[in-house]
Amino acid sequence: MAEPWYITTPIYYVNDVPHVGHAYTTIAADVLARHQRRLGREVFFLTGTDEHGAKIAEAAQAHRKAPKEYCDEIVAHFKTAWRELDISYDRFIRTTDTDHEEAVQVFLSNLYQAGHIYRGRYEGRYCVGCEKFVTDEDLVDGMCILHAKAPIWYAEDNYFFRLSQFQEPLIAAITDERDPNHFVIEPESRANEVLGKLRLGLADISISRASLAWGVPIPFDPTQTTYVWVDALLNYLSGIGFQDDQARFQRFWPADLHLMAKDILWFHAVIWPAVLMAAGLRSPRRIFAHGFFTINGRKISKTLGNILHPRDLIARFGADATRYLMLSEFPFGTDGDISEAAMEERYHADLSNDLGNLLNRTVAMINRYFDSELPFPETTASLSPSDNDLRAVAEAALSRFEEALDRLTFEDALAAIWQLVSRANKYVEENAPWSLARTDRARLVIVLNHLAEALRIIAHLVWPVMPNIAQKMVEQLGVPRELERSWAEAGRWGIFPSGRSSTGASVPLFPRVGTRIEA
Ligand code: MSP
């Protein structure tokens, strides 16, 4: 049976339509899910929306809509965006789905019965933008650092989860590989931050609201609703059948990877594993927090008016190139900047020129010199050092790519592919096939075969990132079903289908995009 692999993105708040920040995590998760699937794994890729809580209730009210009606509208935008970006999720979960709401209630009842929840009084400051209680370290001049808004004062009788009891078990789970709940937080610097804070101690947390109707009712006290973060985290269980499909649940839990940005790492690396331990469930295996990015040097903010929607990028670059450009802009684990000008430059350099032209030239030459049918060299044909070097670079690219994806260093994975693209372009210059066409037909056959083989491998490599482009590549190369091969087979050099394959028309993969003046 195929080994199961379970990956999640955060479920995004639906107070507004999706922006490129949400797309960033979702694209990254999609690339990993696609790659794992072609390794033969049985993948479950979960994404969705976080629909309860004060923030959503306020947004709905501002639009004079009932919360659920407002959520339905925004959810449609998320689904459209993910369709346009070719996100291959296995389930889109909404926290308003019945199976999820039931799962939350069952889960909380169990925790309550086991004595992990008690009633107490909460007093403190709360940021609705963050949907969390804030402390001095979250504020500057009394305002939330992230939302530039003053938190509200909050005093209520609530239910509390005994988080304080999990300090030692959490430290052990993070630091001790033999701990039955062992999990890895990455990048390492983030793990150290979490551990540092964890060692200072943990206070119990309020997990319910007395004054907010828009939430899942607390099963043992229907006058209160579940704190939106507890509700939200449980999506990772309900999304794979915690409540209604035990077989699937057993198969996929624990999650192999929770992916998110650093803003919500504490919830995932501390509160979530503690809640799971309390319920006797294993912690997720790996939690990766990538960086936060700004756009053209500025924070993504409605007030600044620089919210960039995935659609804006797709309109300019197409879905595949958008996926590529977002992941290659800056290293995945660090903070960075997304600049449309830089994206456009890279679109022309890496995509139109380096990759697009390589395919174009190769296909055009096969069409021109061999009447659209790729010829095959005699098996006894002798190879030159540049032939062997191209092959060696292709083989190195395959292993470097895989290893980089395992580490989630997308920029490295892409660099590995582009090293091969550059080597192949250099190979064209070294061998000048247009001269060989006049002087040495036997050598021309070898050269065009090597280029077709390199491009076949490049198509497999770029597929998880640019699935439609990869398909167009193999169609132009005359092997339209090539991407159905298993990954293990795909990487073998020299398997370009024998017999003659008819190449397609040489159509530019990445048409040039017009320049636009940036605000
Ligand atoms: N609803 C919670 C998550 C609950 S998960 C159980 C939430 N939602 S959110 O809509 O605010 O999304 C936060 C996530 O969006 C980040 O963790 C990250 O994945 C993504 N990003 C939002 N803005 C981003 C940037 N500017 N840069 C990088 N990622 C961004 O928090």
Side-chain angles (χ1 to χ4, degrees):
M1 259 241 240
E3 221 183 310
W5 197 75
Y6 179 28
I7 180 172
T8 69
T9 72
I11 48 170
Y12 304 108
Y13 287 126
V14 289
N15 56 316
D16 216 335
V17 297
H19 59 62
V20 287
H22 308 125
Y24 185 65
T25 317
T26 314
I27 292 169
D30 188 59
V31 170
L32 299 171
R34 284 172 183 271
H35 181 64
Q36 292 295 331
R37 279 191 205 109
R38 73 170 168 186
L39 291 180
R41 291 262 179 88
E42 183 191 354
V43 169
F44 201 92
F45 168 18
L46 183 70
T47 190
T49 42
D50 191 351
E51 305 185 13
H52 292 125
K55 175 149 75 173
I56 311 298
E58 284 178 11
Q61 200 174 28
H63 288 84
R64 295 173 201 283
K65 300 248 160 79
K68 180 63 168 51
E69 186 193 353
Y70 180 69
C71 291
D72 289 347
E73 272 177 28
I74 303 287
V75 164
H77 286 279
F78 272 88
K79 288 192 171 166
T80 305
W82 299 162
R83 190 173 61 242
E84 288 174 352
L85 279 169
D86 281 300
I87 304 299
S88 61
Y89 57 75
D90 294 287
R91 175 170 178 189
F92 185 105
I93 188 169
R94 302 180 55 176
T95 52
T96 50
D97 288 343
T98 317
D99 64 334
H100 172 77
E101 292 188 347
E102 280 173 15
V104 171
Q105 294 200 319
V106 170
F107 192 92
L108 289 182
S109 296
N110 292 345
L111 283 195
Y112 188 60
Q113 273 157 25
H116 292 289
I117 292 175
Y118 64 94
R119 198 178 164 94
R121 183 159 183 84
Y122 194 89
E123 281 193 31
R125 291 161 298 177
Y126 190 83
C127 172
V128 175
C130 295
E131 287 284 20
K132 71 171 192 183
F133 293 105
V134 287
T135 58
D136 286 341
E137 68 181 58
D138 300 306
L139 307 172
V140 170
D141 297 334
M143 309 282 249
C144 165
I145 298 172
L146 285 178
H147 295 92
K149 264 194 185 163
I152 53 171
W153 181 255
Y154 182 100
E156 277 186 3
D157 277 357
N158 284 161
Y159 290 92
F160 282 72
F161 170 66
R162 296 184 199 279
L163 182 63
S164 57
Q165 297 192 338
F166 291 91
Q167 183 192 20
E168 286 309 320
L170 282 166
I171 293 175
I174 297 169
T175 55
D176 182 356
E177 281 178 27
R178 289 156 313 169
D179 189 280
N181 277 309
H182 179 58
F183 64 96
V184 178
I185 304 170
E186 287 172 315
E188 203 184 334
S189 58
R190 300 260 168 245
N192 293 334
E193 277 171 30
V194 168
L195 271 174
K197 205 170 145 192
L198 193 51
R199 288 195 170 111
L200 299 176
L202 284 176
D204 292 346
I205 54 161
S206 160
I207 57 152
S208 71
R209 295 288 174 273
S211 50
L212 181 72
W214 183 236
V216 180
I218 291 285
F220 41 87
D221 181 350
T223 66
Q224 302 232 352
T225 52
T226 309
Y227 171 38
V228 62
W229 260 101
V230 173
D231 171 1
L233 287 163
L234 289 169
N235 95 87
Y236 300 135
L237 302 183
S238 57
I240 44 162
F242 176 74
Q243 192 43 23
D244 52 3
D245 190 345
Q246 266 300 307
R248 186 200 278 171
F249 179 72
Q250 295 300 337
R251 191 154 171 66
F252 285 104
W253 192 258
D256 291 276
L257 178 61
H258 285 322
L259 198 60
M260 75 212 68
K262 61 180 187 177
D263 55 334
I264 55 176
L265 177 60
W266 183 257
F267 284 100
H268 283 82
V270 173
I271 297 174
W272 179 225
V275 166
L276 288 165
M277 283 181 203
L281 289 168
R282 203 201 175 289
S283 305
R285 293 185 200 284
R286 189 179 185 193
I287 298 172
F288 192 104
H290 62 70
F292 236 63
F293 61 80
T294 48
I295 295 178
N296 301 324
R298 292 185 304 184
K299 214 181 107 184
I300 307 180
S301 128
K302 223 175 180 173
T303 5
L304 288 175
N306 69 334
I307 296 206
L308 190 60
H309 300 289
R311 184 166 281 186
D312 303 331
L313 294 176
I314 296 171
R316 204 157 164 196
F317 303 116
D320 284 46
T322 296
R323 292 165 61 104
Y324 170 82
L325 293 170
M326 291 214 67
L327 290 181
S328 54
E329 195 80 335
F330 60 91
F332 194 63
T334 67
D335 289 344
D337 185 54
I338 294 276
S339 128
E340 286 187 74
M343 278 185 155
E344 188 168 311
E345 221 177 287
R346 189 136 10 75
Y347 176 91
H348 287 130
D350 297 3
L351 300 179
S352 304
N353 292 348
D354 292 351
L355 177 58
N357 283 348
L358 176 66
L359 180 77
N360 234 242
R361 302 207 261 184
T362 305
V363 171
M365 287 190 285
I366 298 169
N367 289 350
R368 180 157 169 211
Y369 302 135
F370 294 99
D371 203 12
S372 301
E373 288 199 356
L374 180 67
F376 288 83
E378 301 289 326
T379 41
T380 52
S382 59
L383 299 180
S384 77
S386 79
D387 302 337
N388 293 328
D389 192 47
L390 180 64
R391 174 181 179 162
V393 171
E395 282 164 354
L398 286 157
S399 53
R400 188 175 152 200
F401 175 86
E402 259 203 289
E403 191 249 343
L405 270 199
D406 282 346
R407 284 184 288 115
L408 273 68
T409 47
F410 293 93
E411 64 288 355
D412 255 16
L414 294 172
I417 309 176
W418 260 259
Q419 206 166 39
L420 173 58
V421 171
S422 306
R423 183 63 190 90
N425 275 316
K426 193 171 141 216
Y427 179 86
V428 176
E429 301 307 321
E430 284 166 353
N431 288 286
W434 45 87
S435 309
L436 294 175
R438 280 178 273 114
T439 55
D440 189 345
R441 294 287 287 190
R443 178 78 198 135
L444 180 64
V445 170
I446 295 175
V447 168
L448 288 182
N449 248 281
H450 271 66
L451 286 170
E453 189 69 346
L455 278 161
R456 182 188 69 76
I457 288 181
I458 292 167
H460 280 285
L461 285 165
V462 298
W463 175 78
V465 182
M466 298 194 281
N468 304 297
I469 287 293
Q471 184 56 35
K472 283 187 188 163
M473 288 178 72
V474 294
E475 278 166 18
Q476 291 197 30
L477 287 168
V479 283
R481 306 195 59 180
E482 173 63 24
L483 296 172
E484 291 165 20
R485 270 185 212 279
S486 75
W487 173 246
E489 208 194 20
R492 276 175 33 223
W493 182 269
I495 55 160
F496 208 99
S498 52
R500 295 184 172 240
S501 40
S502 293
T503 51
S506 147
V507 183
L509 288 181
F510 301 100
R512 297 191 78 79
V513 298
T515 21
R516 197 169 83 184
I517 308 299
E518 305 237 346

